[in-house]
């Protein structure tokens, strides 16, 4: 008995081809075949995160990274609704120009995804998009929330909600007018930011959320994906813009992510000193077993008295010999002239472990007289004054820094800010100890 073959998914095959091979195959199709392929969405080009969710929902939030396909999903959803001649749809963007440029006339906008013979007509002076079926969409700017007071709609598509400057008022007026028809619904497509409105929407009843990342789109050029992954993967910006993660600043934190973004720079040519700060793990020294994380951060000082964070070589769950080797490697890589290590866990033991790993640089052992947050506060002030730069993006280190709270407390990842503490020791050695303000006592 012959076995029936699985049907070929032509779109999946095309998506797996190189751009040149895809163009070659498309040129061999008839116009009708090309049109049918290009217009097939549900059951075709749409990925799981781009198809409308099933069930009873009022708000569908697509929270995803750039290039995921949010705009295409929104345009296809609205296009399907526009088959109903009575549909009255609100198109809301940060500005009217954004609605026109992205949602209507963009490469994945309403006019681009329309089926042959059903392209909607956009009348700019009326702010209307009208389909041959009789359905109408109305253009609104979140900057002018009063425009949404009064009109009734059967559906709404809100794009880049995180950019709305007067978002709360616009959203409230929109939702109060979303009362036409039996089951009015709204789709929100956005790359997230921790705005008050985003948090409100995430708490809404009847919300269904779709998450996605830039890398999920197989049609993006691989060279583009590789470049942005290399440049931003693991950073706060990358987590937000590529992974669709909402990265929040904590109220009262010593560092904000916005502050750290202003501190980016390149490695200068005039470094006069380089030190490696070390926050040894709390466990593992006495019995030689692996302890907690060991913070290891290299910082250099330039001729103008500005500190530059050069590298984060911190290690987790390493034996004393393991983290000591990591310290030695970091010092060699950055040509450090001193190692500064906390000695609260046993100064003599820290010294012997580092010496055994051939750390032959001058070693300063410091004993903390205050808690981690108190030690970090004068260093945070140096950042605010533009006296510290980051020569690269150090995601794990920066997450810990943004978890240190003014007045005490830690709300970042892990049990303790080991990386951030190593940074504080290094910067303090370079910029605060000569003036007697470090709050530490050398051993």
């Amino acid at each position: 008995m012959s076995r029936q073959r699985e049907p070929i998914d032509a779109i999946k095959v095309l998506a797996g081809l190189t751009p040149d091979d895809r163009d070659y195959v498309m040129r061999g199709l008839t116009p009708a075949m090309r049109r049918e392929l290009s217009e097939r969405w549900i059951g075709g080009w749409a990925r799981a995160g781009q198809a409308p969710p099933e069930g009873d929902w009022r708000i569908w939030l697509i929270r995803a990274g750039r290039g995921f396909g949010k705009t295409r999903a929104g345009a296809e959803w609205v296009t399907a609704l526009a088959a109903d001649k009575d549909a009255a749809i609100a198109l809301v963007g940060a500005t009217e120009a954004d609605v026109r440029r992205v949602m209507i006339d963009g490469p994945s906008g309403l006019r681009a995804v329309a089926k042959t013979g059903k392209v909607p007509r956009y009348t700019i002076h009326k702010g209307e998009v009208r389909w041959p079926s009789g359905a109408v969409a109305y253009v609104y700017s979140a900057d002018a929330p009063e425009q949404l007071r009064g009109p009734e709609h059967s559906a709404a598509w809100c794009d880049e909600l995180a950019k709305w400057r007067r978002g709360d008022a616009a959203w409230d007026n929109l939702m109060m007018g979303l009362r036409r028809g039996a089951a009015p619904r709204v789709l929100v497509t956005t790359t997230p930011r921790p705005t008050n409105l985003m948090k409100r929407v995430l708490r809404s009843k009847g919300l269904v959320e779709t998450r996605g990342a830039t890398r999920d789109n197989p049609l993006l050029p691989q060279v583009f994906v590789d470049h942005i992954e290399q440049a931003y993967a693991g950073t706060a910006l990358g987590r937000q813009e590529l992974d669709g993660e909402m990265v929040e600043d904590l109220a009262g934190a010593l560092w904000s992510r916005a502050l750290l973004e202003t501190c980016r720079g390149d490695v200068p040519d005039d470094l006069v000193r380089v030190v490696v700060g070390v926050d040894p793990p709390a466990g593992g020294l006495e019995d030689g077993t692996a302890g907690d994380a060991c913070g290891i951060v290299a910082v250099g000082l330039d001729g103008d008295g500005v500190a530059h964070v050069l590298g984060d070589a911190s290690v987790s769950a390493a034996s004393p010999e393991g983290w000591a080797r990591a310290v030695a490697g970091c010092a060699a890589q950055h040509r450090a002239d001193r190692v500064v290590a906390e000695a609260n866990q046993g100064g003599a033991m820290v010294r012997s472990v580092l010496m055994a790993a051939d750390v032959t640089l001058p070693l300063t052992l410091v004993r903390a007289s205050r808690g981690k947050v108190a030690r970090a506060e004068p260093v945070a002030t140096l950042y605010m004054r533009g006296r510290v730069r980051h020569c690269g993006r150090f995601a794990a280190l920066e997450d810990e820094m943004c978890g240190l709270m003014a007045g005490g407390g830690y709300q970042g990842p892990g049990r303790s800010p080991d990386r951030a503490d190593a940074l504080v020791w290094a910067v303090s050695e370079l910029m605060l100890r000569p003036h007697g303000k470090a709050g530490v006592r050398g051993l």
Side-chain angles (χ1 to χ4, degrees):
M1 183 175 179
S2 62
R3 186 176 180 181
Q4 187 174 6
R5 293 183 177 181
E6 291 287 332
I8 296 175
D9 187 335
I11 290 178
K12 184 178 291 185
V13 172
L14 284 172
L17 298 177
T18 66
D20 289 342
D21 288 344
R22 192 182 305 131
D23 290 343
Y24 175 79
V25 171
M26 293 298 293
R27 286 196 299 269
L29 302 179
T30 66
M33 293 168 68
R34 287 198 296 269
R35 184 167 59 250
E36 196 278 333
L37 268 177
S38 67
E39 294 178 354
R40 189 192 304 174
W41 181 242
I42 303 300
W45 291 104
R47 303 189 306 280
Q50 294 176 301
E54 298 180 355
D56 184 19
W57 53 269
R58 182 165 173 80
I59 303 171
W60 175 24
L61 170 63
I62 302 181
R63 178 161 61 109
R66 296 191 189 187
F68 169 78
K70 302 184 294 296
T71 303
R72 177 71 186 267
E76 292 283 0
W77 181 71
V78 169
T79 297
L81 296 177
D84 180 358
K85 64 182 178 64
D86 294 323
I89 304 163
L91 304 176
V92 191
T95 66
E96 287 188 16
D98 287 339
V99 176
R100 179 175 66 251
R101 179 176 53 85
V102 178
M103 302 170 73
I104 299 173
D105 287 333
S108 297
L110 293 169
R111 291 172 57 82
V113 307
K115 292 183 175 11
T116 303
K118 298 181 180 181
V119 179
R121 183 177 70 255
Y122 174 37
T123 307
I124 296 178
H125 70 275
K126 290 184 177 181
E128 290 183 0
V129 180
R130 188 174 294 272
W131 281 263
S133 67
V136 183
Y138 303 94
V139 174
Y140 297 100
S141 166
D143 276 352
E146 293 304 311
Q147 294 179 348
L148 286 158
R149 182 184 293 274
E152 296 182 10
H153 305 99
S154 57
W157 174 20
C158 302
D159 190 48
E160 293 300 348
L161 190 81
K163 289 175 55 180
W164 292 11
R165 287 175 293 192
R166 302 183 64 187
D168 289 281
W171 179 261
D172 289 339
N173 285 340
L174 171 68
M175 297 304 288
M176 289 178 184
L178 198 66
R179 56 181 185 265
R180 184 166 171 175
R185 290 174 163 178
V186 57
L187 167 60
V188 177
T189 53
T190 190
T191 299
R193 293 177 186 170
T195 64
N196 289 333
L197 180 56
M198 279 294 306
K199 296 173 185 178
R200 284 183 56 197
V201 172
L202 285 168
R203 294 193 300 265
S204 299
K205 293 182 179 180
L207 172 75
V208 175
E209 184 180 17
T210 295
R211 296 287 304 277
T214 300
R215 69 182 72 88
D216 295 339
N217 188 346
L219 299 179
L220 291 174
Q222 191 59 44
V223 64
F224 166 76
V225 176
D226 291 344
H227 171 73
I228 60 173
E229 288 281 356
Q230 181 180 12
Y232 302 109
T235 68
L237 184 64
R239 286 161 54 194
Q240 174 179 284
E241 300 296 323
L242 306 184
D243 299 334
E245 180 180 343
M246 195 160 71
V247 181
E248 296 191 58
D249 280 329
L250 298 171
L254 293 181
W255 283 273
S256 71
R257 299 186 187 279
L259 172 62
L260 292 177
E261 288 301 325
T262 67
C263 296
R264 306 292 178 196
D266 298 323
V267 179
D269 297 327
D270 62 339
L271 291 178
V272 296
R273 287 191 67 197
V274 175
V275 301
V276 174
V278 181
D279 181 40
L285 280 174
E286 296 295 335
D287 56 10
T289 61
D292 295 331
C294 177
I296 306 169
V297 176
V299 182
L301 187 70
D302 69 19
D304 294 325
V306 175
H308 299 264
V309 181
L310 306 174
D312 175 10
S314 304
V315 292
S316 299
S319 66
E321 292 77 11
W323 62 255
R325 285 195 299 270
V327 173
C330 181
Q333 177 186 353
H334 297 289
R335 294 184 290 181
D337 48 33
R338 180 167 294 272
V339 171
V340 181
E342 182 178 338
N344 283 41
Q345 302 300 328
M349 188 68 73
V350 171
R351 183 185 297 275
S352 63
V353 168
L354 291 173
M355 295 295 287
D358 199 27
V359 180
T360 56
L361 297 173
L363 174 64
T364 297
L365 295 177
V366 288
R367 185 174 299 277
S369 60
R370 296 181 292 169
K372 292 178 184 288
V373 173
R375 295 196 300 271
E377 287 178 344
V379 175
T381 300
L382 292 173
Y383 275 78
M384 296 174 190
R385 294 176 178 172
R387 300 287 307 283
V388 186
R389 313 291 292 174
H390 281 206
C391 302
R393 296 178 183 274
F394 309 107
L397 168 62
E398 292 169 7
D399 283 349
E400 289 188 2
M401 295 168 68
C402 292
L404 285 165
M405 310 302 294
Y410 174 62
Q411 298 183 30
R415 293 187 300 176
S416 178
D418 307 291
R419 299 168 189 265
D421 212 28
L423 165 81
V424 168
W425 288 126
V427 174
S428 296
E429 171 68 20
L430 289 172
M431 304 187 72
L432 297 177
R433 274 176 57 83
H435 305 288
K437 300 178 182 178
V440 298
R441 178 167 54 88
L443 297 179

